[in-house]
Amino acid sequence: MEIRTSSLFSSFYSVEDRVETFVDYEDLVPRVFQLHVKESGQLREAKMLFDVEKNTATFWEKKVTKDHGEEEKKQNWEILPYTQNVYSAIYYMRNFKWETGKEYSFRVGNDNENLVFSGKALRREVLNTKLGPIKAIVVQPKITLKGKLNPIGDNFIWLSDDDRKFILRIESKIKIGTLVSEVVEIKPGR
């Protein structure tokens, strides 16, 4: 997955991020992810390895910012079986049927923590995209950590309302407005 700032906003804040996550085809659990961040004010490289035989996660990160200089982090912790990482979780959501009003949950390991990701299908609608109008399901995610709901703000994910469940749009409300990521191209696998 790649995220880039539109040309209109790149003069204010530039984003050129790429994440790759490698998932075992048979059991749908991630094995490795790599994150490459190039943004105004920071560079960041991160890798995470999930050892599903030992149920452990190992995370390495190196970050360089204008304010804090160079920082490094390494974490290792136990995870539960079938845990996703924060990036594979978005794709793992595609496995559910997403009936309006129903909530679906699964495990996510991130930042030395074991979380529960839940998503509730709010409604079905037609989303106008650069690819044309596409039938979609709107999902609102939430995170539970140590039995307590952690508010993650107003976030919404649009999945195509078909058997492929393509990720069409992601909206995240932040202090200064709303971050929007929209599909510009779909290259289905074979």
Side-chain angles (χ1 to χ4, degrees):
M1 174 169 45
E2 290 187 14
I3 299 174
R4 295 176 193 257
T5 311
S6 69
S7 57
L8 177 65
F9 293 102
S10 62
S11 60
F12 302 107
Y13 191 84
S14 175
V15 173
E16 208 175 308
D17 299 350
R18 187 178 83 242
V19 66
E20 300 169 323
T21 187
F22 300 94
V23 176
D24 185 293
Y25 178 78
E26 290 184 9
D27 57 15
L28 298 177
V29 293
R31 299 295 181 140
V32 176
F33 91 73
Q34 298 178 38
L35 175 67
H36 312 277
V37 173
K38 183 179 177 186
E39 297 179 5
S40 296
Q42 81 165 310
L43 294 172
R44 181 175 162 210
E45 294 288 325
K47 293 184 181 184
M48 182 181 242
L49 170 67
F50 277 35
D51 185 331
V52 296
E53 286 77 28
K54 295 180 182 175
N55 287 324
T56 60
T58 304
F59 177 79
W60 301 272
E61 177 184 62
K62 184 174 185 177
K63 182 168 48 172
V64 179
T65 63
K66 289 179 184 177
D67 295 338
H68 298 100
E70 189 174 305
E71 301 174 84
E72 288 192 48
K73 181 195 301 189
K74 183 175 181 183
Q75 300 169 322
N76 193 309
W77 72 99
E78 291 183 16
I79 57 173
L80 297 168
Y82 302 102
T83 294
Q84 299 294 310
N85 63 49
V86 293
Y87 304 103
S88 68
I90 294 171
Y91 292 94
Y92 189 73
M93 291 174 51
R94 297 171 63 192
N95 292 298
F96 300 103
K97 292 189 189 245
W98 295 107
E99 296 175 32
T100 303
K102 285 189 80 176
E103 190 170 293
Y104 302 85
S105 300
F106 54 91
R107 299 176 184 122
V108 175
N110 185 55
D111 203 14
N112 212 21
E113 299 282 357
N114 293 310
L115 317 167
V116 175
F117 172 96
S118 299
K120 184 175 184 179
L122 300 178
R123 65 185 176 276
R124 289 180 148 70
E125 64 183 48
V126 175
L127 181 66
N128 290 315
T129 72
K130 289 186 178 188
L131 306 174
I134 301 175
K135 290 181 181 179
I137 305 162
V138 182
V139 176
Q140 185 170 31
K142 63 182 178 181
I143 299 291
T144 304
L145 174 61
K146 297 178 184 171
K148 296 180 182 177
L149 179 65
N150 273 10
I152 55 173
D154 289 334
N155 296 293
F156 302 94
I157 300 168
W158 280 255
L159 301 173
S160 63
D161 193 4
D162 57 16
D163 62 333
R164 301 299 292 269
K165 303 284 186 292
F166 290 116
I167 300 158
L168 303 173
R169 179 181 175 103
I170 300 173
E171 273 187 20
S172 298
K173 300 229 191 274
I174 59 173
K175 290 179 184 179
I176 60 169
T178 302
L179 293 175
V180 177
S181 175
E182 289 186 326
V183 65
V184 294
E185 181 180 25
I186 294 176
K187 293 182 182 179
R190 297 178 188 173

